């Protein structure tokens, strides 16, 4: 027996290798760097929507503060009803309250889903940092579906078939496929034909299709969000929440919508059993207040639209800056991410000792004060020179602005974003443009030497 295993509190094998979530780790690293005050940091490492909270939600939470009882494990009936109504209105599907499970964030819902369903999981590469660890924590194998950067990381029948074949050769048994649109980290959205193809592929292979739709209401407008549940209602599970769309990540409120079938009902019971032993219920006052987020309300709908336009404005501007600088980057369609590729500068980066995505991110942070998350964290090959940039902070006012003034600044942006001549002075966006221009010009210069 290894000496180490005799120590009390010895960690279980899978957990020993489970790293701290890359995005949260980056956030903490930046906080430290900023505290040291040595360099002004361009914070593009952490994807957190932080627009001002809608006043209806704020008031609803104040009113529900005294609701201190445990809520039912599956969620408050009125909230489950409101979410079912919301999905029926926005996804062109018919959903009833019994299909909904509410929990503390959709992250916990995703873990529970990976835990309850049989088989291993197919995960696109790249995809959100937390899918693979959640699958592994649920005791399953991760099978990556390799996508092509030249094809904007689309899922195709070819790359899905290839992943399935490889999985079987390696002794894995994938029975779950997870997809995400608008996409984190790439920022793209599925074309409707691709959604149909993916749904039909999952159906043909008898897979549970988990559709992470947390950014769905943040589509910028040039591409429509389509849920695969339209084509494969009996096998699709939709997950979502209010963290991104309503800038309420800290409320920790998410949901899963399971199929209205006998198998779906069994799955709901399994979710209830897991929930009853882990989180008991999402916080009751938050659930009560969140009814407002999903019930039909013109003011909330308008806020969602404005938030999508604002993120669309800043993300598209940043995309254009990269395009003008000659940096390959997929055109963003929703959410608040960009996924630029620095492969054209590989030789010059190599001269600086940058061989991997992780080293690229470190170089950008150390030499240029730019925070990012490298491609390998999203399941890509370690040598991939792509990074995820979060654009959510590009609409922030100057650092040091008081909380009150910051809120006014952001409300003003939300209220004017629909104007034809919307062209605000955005200091962080300007700073991002300046700094990225310096980075690329420097790399170009060094390439010539
Ligand atoms: N899915 C994706 C793609 C995300 O980016 C996030 C948050 O970063 C989540 C799910 C989880 O969100 P929450 O647990 O706050 O609902």
């Amino acid at each position: 027996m290894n000496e180490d295993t005799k120590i009390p509190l010895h960690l279980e094998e899978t957990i020993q290798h489970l790293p701290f979530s890359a995005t949260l780790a980056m956030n903490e690293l930046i906080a430290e760097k900023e505290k040291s005050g040595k360099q002004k940091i361009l914070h593009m490492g952490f994807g957190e929507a932080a627009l001002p909270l809608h006043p209806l939600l704020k008031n609803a939470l104040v009113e529900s503060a005294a609701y201190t009882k445990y809520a039912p494990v599956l969620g408050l009936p009125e909230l489950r009803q409101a979410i079912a109504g919301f999905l029926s209105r926005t996804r062109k599907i018919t959903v009833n309250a019994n299909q909904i499970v509410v929990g503390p964030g959709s992250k916990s819902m995703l873990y529970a889903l990976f835990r309850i369903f049989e088989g291993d999981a197919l995960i696109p590469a790249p995809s959100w940092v937390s899918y693979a660890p959640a699958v592994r924590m649920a005791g399953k194998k991760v099978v990556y579906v390799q996508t092509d950067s030249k094809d904007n990381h689309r899922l195709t029948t070819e790359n899905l078939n290839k992943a399935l074949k490889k999985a079987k050769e390696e002794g894995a048994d994938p029975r779950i496929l997870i997809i995400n649109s608008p996409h984190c980290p790439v920022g793209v959205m599925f074309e409707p034909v691709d959604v149909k193809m993916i749904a039909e592929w999952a159906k043909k292979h008898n897979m549970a299709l988990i559709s992470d739709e947390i950014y769905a209401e943040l589509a910028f407008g040039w591409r429509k969000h389509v849920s695969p549940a339209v084509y494969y209602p009996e096998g699709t599970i939709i997950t979502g929440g209010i963290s991104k769309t309503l800038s309420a990540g800290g409320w920790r409120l998410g949901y899963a919508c399971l199929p209205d079938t006998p198998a779906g009902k069994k799955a709901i019971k399994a979710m209830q059993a897991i929930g009853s032993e882990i989180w008991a219920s999402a916080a009751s006052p938050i659930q009560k207040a969140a009814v407002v987020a999903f019930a039909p309300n013109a003011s909330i709908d308008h806020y969602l639209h404005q938030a999508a336009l604002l993120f669309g404005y800043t993300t598209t501007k940043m995309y254009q800056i990269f395009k003008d600088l000659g940096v390959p980057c997929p055109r963003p369609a929703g959410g608040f991410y960009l996924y630029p590729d620095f492969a054209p500068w590989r030789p010059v980066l190599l001269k600086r000792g940058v061989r991997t995505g992780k080293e690229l991110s470190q170089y950008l942070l150390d030499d240029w004060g730019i925070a990012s998350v490298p491609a390998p964290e999203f399941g890509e090959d370690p040598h991939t020179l792509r990074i995820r940039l979060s654009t959510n902070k590009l609409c922030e006012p100057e650092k040091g602005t008081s909380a009150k003034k910051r809120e006014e600044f952001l409300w003003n942006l939300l209220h004017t974003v629909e104007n034809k001549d919307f062209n605000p002075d955005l200091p962080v966006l300007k700073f991002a443009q300046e700094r990225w221009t310096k980075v690329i010009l420097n790399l170009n210069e060094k390439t010539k030497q």
Side-chain angles (χ1 to χ4, degrees):
M1 191 194 274
N2 181 332
E3 270 304 299
D4 216 29
T5 57
K6 288 189 202 147
I7 300 169
L9 314 184
H10 193 77
L11 294 179
E12 193 255 309
E13 182 68 18
T14 19
I15 300 302
Q16 279 184 42
H17 304 292
L18 190 72
F20 182 43
S21 163
T23 46
L24 297 178
M26 175 53 85
N27 204 35
E28 296 193 1
L29 186 69
I30 303 309
E32 258 173 51
K33 282 235 171 215
E34 277 183 332
K35 230 193 260 168
S36 80
K38 279 195 197 128
Q39 193 179 26
K40 191 172 166 194
I41 301 289
L42 176 60
H43 201 322
M44 302 186 86
F46 189 54
E48 179 175 26
L51 298 176
L53 186 67
H54 194 288
L56 285 176
L57 281 167
K58 204 186 251 181
N59 296 342
L61 187 57
V62 171
E63 275 169 32
S64 63
Y67 186 70
T68 50
K69 289 199 294 202
Y70 284 102
V73 177
L74 290 174
L76 285 178
E78 62 266 40
L79 178 58
R80 295 174 73 201
Q81 184 62 55
I83 294 171
F86 173 79
L87 289 175
S88 303
R89 287 197 306 282
T90 55
R91 304 296 197 272
K92 296 204 175 92
I93 50 175
T94 310
V95 177
N96 68 66
N98 295 329
Q99 293 173 248
I100 305 296
V101 189
V102 173
S106 65
K107 203 177 218 181
S108 56
M109 298 287 91
L110 288 165
Y111 168 71
L113 289 166
F114 289 133
R115 187 72 192 84
I116 65 166
F117 290 121
E118 255 184 3
D120 298 313
L122 288 176
I123 299 186
S127 59
W128 185 45
V129 283
S130 291
Y131 299 144
V135 167
R136 294 192 182 109
M137 283 197 298
K140 295 172 190 305
K141 287 187 192 134
V142 169
V143 180
Y144 281 114
V145 183
Q146 297 299 336
T147 60
D148 185 355
S149 62
K150 290 187 208 79
D151 195 17
N152 288 333
H153 299 284
R154 268 179 66 221
L155 283 178
T156 61
T157 323
E158 291 73 37
N159 56 33
L160 286 165
N161 282 341
K162 207 166 152 192
L164 188 57
K165 186 164 170 267
K166 187 162 173 274
K168 294 206 167 139
E169 281 163 9
E170 288 171 0
D173 177 24
R175 308 281 286 279
I176 304 165
L177 167 64
I178 177 138
I179 57 169
N180 169 227
S181 180
H183 191 275
C184 168
V186 184
V188 292
M189 287 175 69
F190 293 132
E191 285 181 43
V193 283
D194 285 347
V195 177
K196 187 160 184 273
M197 178 282 292
I198 295 164
E200 284 167 358
W201 188 90
K203 185 173 176 154
K204 180 175 162 198
H205 294 283
N206 206 18
M207 302 250 169
L209 178 60
I210 302 178
S211 178
D212 178 351
E213 301 185 14
I214 189 111
Y215 295 99
E217 283 64 48
L218 294 182
F220 304 156
W222 62 272
R223 181 156 280 167
K224 284 257 166 306
H225 173 75
V226 179
S227 175
V230 172
Y231 303 108
Y232 183 31
E234 70 279 26
T236 303
I237 299 102
I238 297 173
T239 60
I242 58 173
S243 300
K244 314 294 174 182
T245 50
L246 287 158
S247 287
W251 279 32
R252 306 309 303 128
L253 190 109
Y255 63 82
C257 171
L258 287 104
D260 188 20
T261 59
K265 288 190 176 86
K266 273 197 194 161
I268 286 267
K269 280 214 158 123
M271 293 291 279
Q272 186 181 33
I274 291 202
S276 73
E277 302 300 0
I278 305 183
W279 55 80
S281 77
S284 317
I286 297 289
Q287 289 202 49
K288 265 217 178 284
V291 174
V292 172
F294 296 102
N297 183 296
S299 176
I300 297 277
D301 285 350
H302 193 199
Y303 173 98
L304 291 173
H305 181 61
Q306 290 170 328
L309 290 182
L310 183 54
F311 288 132
Y313 178 84
T314 47
T315 309
T316 309
K317 281 264 178 203
M318 195 65 231
Y319 161 72
Q320 197 55 50
I321 291 166
F322 279 126
K323 244 184 111 186
D324 295 345
L325 290 169
V327 183
C329 181
R331 182 184 172 194
F336 36 74
Y337 300 107
L338 290 171
Y339 202 56
D341 192 349
F342 294 83
W345 293 276
R346 189 179 287 282
V348 66
L349 286 167
L350 201 60
K351 281 192 205 152
R352 304 189 159 200
V354 174
R355 285 154 303 161
T356 63
K358 210 170 171 177
E359 287 166 354
L360 173 63
S361 228
Q362 196 65 49
Y363 160 72
L364 289 169
L365 186 60
D366 292 342
D367 286 33
W368 298 98
I370 298 174
S372 63
V373 180
E377 301 291 353
F378 305 100
E380 295 225 73
D381 180 274
H383 292 91
T384 308
L385 293 181
R386 287 186 271 278
I387 50 170
R388 186 196 77 176
L389 296 175
S390 306
T391 56
N392 50 292
K393 283 193 183 288
L394 297 179
C395 60
E396 290 282 337
E398 205 70 73
K399 210 166 182 264
T401 306
S402 71
K404 188 166 171 277
K405 284 255 178 285
R406 174 185 177 272
E407 201 169 317
E408 277 168 20
F409 181 87
L410 292 170
W411 273 123
N412 183 45
L413 292 180
L414 287 168
H415 289 149
T416 53
V417 70
E418 286 158 292
N419 296 353
K420 270 208 166 59
D421 55 353
F422 183 71
N423 184 21
D425 194 12
L426 296 177
V428 184
L429 180 63
K430 203 164 146 227
F431 174 50
Q433 175 164 23
E434 283 164 10
R435 190 148 293 182
W436 276 113
T437 304
K438 274 191 190 157
V439 174
I440 301 304
L441 291 185
N442 179 277
L443 289 174
N444 286 345
E445 217 166 275
K446 293 279 178 309
T447 305
K448 279 192 227 140
Q449 285 168 6

